[in-house]
Amino acid sequence: MSVANQKAGVFGVGDASYRAAGERAGIARLVDSFYRIMDELPEARVIREMHPADLAESRDKLTRFLCGWLNGPKLYAEKYGSIKLPMAHAHLRVGTAERDAWILCMRRALEEEGFEPEFSAYLLRELSKPADRIVQVSREP
Ligand code: HEM
């Protein structure tokens, strides 16, 4: 995608966001950073402890999910079947503190991977939507 398109804010069009993220390899690097940061950051301990000790499957799942979510290939469905994101988190207690910690890890990962600031801001805004939905569902009895 050209820089002009990025500035015009057309990330949501077609697979523009998937390509801006560097396709599967770029997303896999982003997810690796995301989980390494979650492992290291004291503010993220609360959500790190919700995950299994071995993060290999979590990495694979999030990478594959984000590829499809960004309108790239549906790699999560291909391997793991269909998923409803809020339901996949319904067994967890996710409040605003947990959501903020998740978003913080993603913000740091985007910075570390050198993503374009406009794209990072767009992605964080878009990711906040399912994150908020996960918090809502977690509140429901
Ligand atoms: C709101 C804060 C969030 C927290 C605290 C959180 C936490 C977790 C945890 C602990 C797991 C592992 C569950 C387990 O192994 O039992 C998980 C799985 C997963 N999360 Fe999140 N998550 C959050 C937001 C998100 C967002 C925004 C996305 C994607 C846009 C996402 C995508 C996924 C995916 C694809 C899985 C694998 C689900 C499965 O296959 O069962 N999560 N999450």
Side-chain angles (χ1 to χ4, degrees), residues 14-135:
D15 69 351
S17 297
Y18 176 68
R19 287 185 287 108
E23 307 193 357
R24 184 176 184 169
I27 294 168
R29 279 197 300 276
L30 176 67
V31 169
D32 279 353
S33 294
F34 171 80
Y35 274 118
R36 194 182 32 71
I37 290 163
M38 191 189 289
D39 228 6
E40 292 171 1
L41 209 63
E43 298 96 301
R45 190 163 303 144
V46 59
I47 57 172
R48 175 62 186 92
E49 284 170 358
M50 293 175 168
H51 288 80
D54 181 349
L55 290 169
E57 189 173 280
S58 304
R59 275 199 197 91
D60 185 53
K61 284 181 163 178
L62 186 56
T63 299
R64 286 169 174 272
F65 178 84
L66 290 177
C67 287
W69 188 75
L70 293 171
N71 282 332
K74 307 290 176 206
L75 300 176
Y76 182 97
E78 199 177 84
K79 183 167 173 186
Y80 298 108
S82 68
I83 179 171
K84 292 233 168 23
L85 207 52
M87 287 306 127
H89 294 78
H91 62 297
L92 304 167
R93 306 277 306 169
V94 182
T96 53
E98 288 77 10
R99 177 203 61 198
D100 292 349
W102 196 99
I103 294 290
L104 175 65
C105 293
M106 191 53 83
R107 172 173 291 116
R108 294 275 174 90
L110 286 161
E111 284 166 8
E112 209 177 272
E113 290 302 318
F115 278 81
E116 241 237 294
E118 281 85 357
F119 181 62
S120 297
Y122 167 81
L123 213 54
L124 288 169
R125 263 198 321 276
E126 290 302 311
L127 285 167
S128 295
K129 297 173 189 174
D132 284 341
R133 186 74 193 116
I134 290 166
V135 173

